[in-house]
Amino acid sequence: DNRPPDASHHGQSAVFLIRAQSVAITGARILDAWVLFHEGYRIGGTTRPLRFRSLAQVCRDPMDNDRLLEEWLQHPTYDDYWRDEDCSLHFDRMNVPCFTIGSWYDFMNQGSIASFQGRQHHGGAGSRGRQQLVIGPWLHGRLNKGSQNGQLTYPPHAAWPEHEHMIRWFDRWLKGQQNGVDAEPPVRWFVMGAVGENDAPGNVWREADDFPPASTTLPLYLQQNGLLSQQAPDSEIGSTSWIGDPLNPCQIPGTAFPGAADARSFEQQPEVRTFTTETLSEPVEWTGRIKAELWLSSTAPDTDVIVRVSDVYPDGRSILIVDYPWRLRCREGLDKEVLMQPGEIVPVRFDVGWISQIFNRGHRIRVTIASTGAPLYEPNPQNGKPLTLEMPPDATTATNTLHHNRTHASRILAPVMATD
């Protein structure tokens, strides 16, 4: 069998095999997988000890798992230890055709797109120009690329024929059959739209030679009184505060991104803040990468910020599309730690994630901000000390502040597509 495993951590194993060139791999297929440090162990610089301690259940010696986690903590930043397994540094050693499946409702979609781009443009001769990418309205995983996702039911054509296409792909690259699969478009992505609304724009497939398509960057500013607008703030003062308490965190149940579902149960928690546009008079499409440019301060030397983007339906449902956390000690890069001084206002810039969504008229767009969301995002102790497996006894409650004024105008950058 000259094909590697394909999904999630199995997909990462496939990337290792492709990079190592240690077996006679002639074709590959990878779902929802990428760089382990950036999107697995330390997503946004955060740590996930409870999540990874559970892996002891599948170890022959459970203590091996604890020793591994302690070893990880000896490398809190992106150093040579992590570079040794970072496949994104070795695209030139990847030399096979690969079919990549990404999912809009999965934070690892950042990796799905990056791996396609890297192999397609910087891979070996057997990779360049021989990659294909499909992204649909799905959650993380395999054998789940249908039209029913979370609380949303998309049209039937949103489904992807995983088994059928996999057979065609490997018939071509393992058996040499000239079945035309290699002549299909390099990129196919599903533009999501409102569901359950007659004549709502979107919910269509698009094709291209590369990704992302050209878009216009639109700043949306977080304003006083929970408003999100294109108008930059003109007041000299303006801020919004909340409490980050690692011992009493806000709740996001589960260990997987809860996209395609109503997020109001999180948004309505006391230490969560939302910023929402006025009702849209016309549809607007975002296709590309959302970025956050925030100005934050804290009473603690370190804290986290979680940024979420959702589509607010006329009935009030806030359908979560994408989110991402960031640990502020990593605000200058994952290769260093820089603590804050109490009250110091610092810039925090990071990628929130990829999107392809048409927000329908009558809807609103919402950005949600918080510092905790457990157990999905395990809380930051906020004491500024080296991170540990157990919550330390001196974990610190912090008052965190988002600044939105003329001098410190917090905003997100949206990839807006031109209307037809």
Side-chain angles (χ1 to χ4, degrees), residues 141-153:
R142 67 195 305 267
L143 303 181
N144 65 343
K145 309 309 182 190
S147 58
Q148 172 67 50
N149 292 283
Q151 297 171 357
L152 302 182
T153 301

Side-chain angles (χ1 to χ4, degrees), residues 177-227:
Q177 294 182 10
Q178 299 296 324
N179 58 13
V181 70
D182 51 326
E184 293 176 356
V187 183
R188 286 165 281 190
W189 76 93
F190 191 84
V191 183
M192 300 181 293
V195 301
E197 297 180 4
N198 293 331
D199 301 321
N203 295 323
V204 295
W205 286 96
R206 289 196 185 139
E207 301 175 352
D209 292 332
D210 208 347
F211 193 88
S215 63
T216 299
T217 299
L218 175 70
L220 288 175
Y221 294 90
L222 286 68
Q223 307 272 10
Q224 203 74 23
N225 301 318
L227 182 65

